[in-house]
Amino acid sequence: MTKRTSAKYKIDRRMGENIWGRPKSPVNRREYGPGQHGQRRKGKMSDFGLQLRAKQKLKGYYGDLTEKQFRRIYAEAERVRGDTGENLIGLLERRLDSVVYRAKFVPTIFAARQFVNHGHVLVNGKRVNIPSYRVKEGDVIEVRERSRQLAVVLEAVQLPERDVPDYVDADHSKMTATFVRTPGLGDVPYAVQMEPNLVIEYYAQN
């Protein structure tokens, strides 16, 4: 099992939730955390614990971003006018790896990061290999012609467990997707409840 695969299963079990809604998640079979203490009875979580967990869940969902990356995105969300929680979600969804994942060009967010890294993606006709690249409204993302028959791409397009959200206009016959608009929290098809408000509280106090 690759490090990436084991990482996503570990995140699910640490959170006790199937955060990507995948049918193979170990949480579907056992809801306790990993390790020898995973089955201990859960006590009531403190406010800090709830805030920390909300942050870890959101960070984990987007491919287990580093604390430095995540804090930078939070700082930017805080600077922009409007609701910081909504801004945070919008900035995370505008990452190129997120858009590639939402367009169903790959099966997981981890695969999306690797796919972009390996140069399989074009943005407005130019190759971009930076997963954190910020996509703008109206940008056209496409899978390079020679990468369209890769097994990972063909598998992802057929996945029944998730749909392409309406803020991404994907055409799987041409393997292109247009980023239509920046979504708010209510637009994003999370498999579990995300609580950016608790993430904001966490950073405000720490």
Side-chain angles (χ1 to χ4, degrees):
M1 188 182 275
T2 67
K3 185 166 180 280
R4 287 169 185 278
T5 313
S6 62
K8 67 176 184 262
Y9 290 143
K10 236 183 220 166
I11 293 164
D12 268 1
R13 287 194 51 213
R14 193 170 68 217
M15 296 298 145
E17 291 181 89
N18 182 357
I19 67 173
W20 293 281
R22 293 185 330 274
K24 288 184 182 172
S25 171
V27 178
N28 298 343
R29 295 191 301 280
R30 44 187 180 191
E31 294 195 351
Y32 51 85
Q36 63 182 31
H37 304 299
Q39 291 189 62
R40 278 192 181 163
R41 197 175 57 200
K42 290 179 187 161
K44 190 173 185 303
M45 225 182 243
S46 65
D47 286 351
F48 172 78
L50 290 169
Q51 292 161 2
L52 178 65
R53 189 187 171 91
K55 177 184 74 111
Q56 288 172 331
K57 193 158 62 168
L58 204 55
K59 252 172 67 173
Y61 183 91
Y62 287 96
D64 219 8
L65 299 175
T66 65
E67 180 60 27
K68 193 175 173 185
Q69 283 174 311
F70 197 71
R71 192 177 268 276
R72 198 184 299 134
I73 296 168
Y74 164 76
E76 195 173 337
E78 206 180 22
R79 278 198 306 273
V80 184
R81 274 171 56 186
D83 183 287
T84 306
E86 293 283 342
N87 292 342
L88 177 64
I89 297 298
L91 288 171
L92 287 166
E93 284 292 313
R94 281 175 57 196
R95 286 174 56 96
L96 180 57
D97 55 359
S98 297
V99 179
V100 166
Y101 172 62
R102 291 287 176 227
K104 277 180 76 170
F105 292 155
V106 289
T108 68
I109 190 75
F110 295 90
R113 183 184 295 175
Q114 204 170 17
F115 197 67
V116 174
N117 250 330
H118 290 180
H120 297 302
V121 176
L122 307 175
V123 179
N124 299 330
K126 291 182 182 161
R127 192 164 77 163
V128 178
N129 60 0
I130 302 160
S132 60
Y133 175 87
R134 187 77 45 78
V135 174
K136 296 191 288 293
E137 294 178 3
D139 278 358
V140 177
I141 294 90
E142 64 181 302
V143 177
R144 284 177 73 194
E145 195 145 346
R146 58 201 243 186
S147 309
R148 291 176 190 177
Q149 294 306 310
L150 289 172
V152 68
V153 176
L154 299 173
E155 176 203 339
V157 171
Q158 306 298 327
L159 277 178
E161 71 244 31
R162 61 189 178 92
D163 296 318
V164 178
D166 63 1
Y167 51 89
V168 175
D169 185 10
D171 182 342
H172 289 139
S173 63
K174 295 179 183 164
M175 294 309 284
T176 64
T178 305
F179 187 70
V180 181
R181 61 185 173 83
T182 304
L185 175 62
D187 302 316
V188 183
Y190 292 121
V192 296
Q193 187 183 2
M194 292 294 180
E195 298 157 306
N197 55 314
L198 294 181
V199 180
I200 308 309
E201 287 172 20
Y202 173 87
Y203 281 121
Q205 291 167 22
N206 295 285

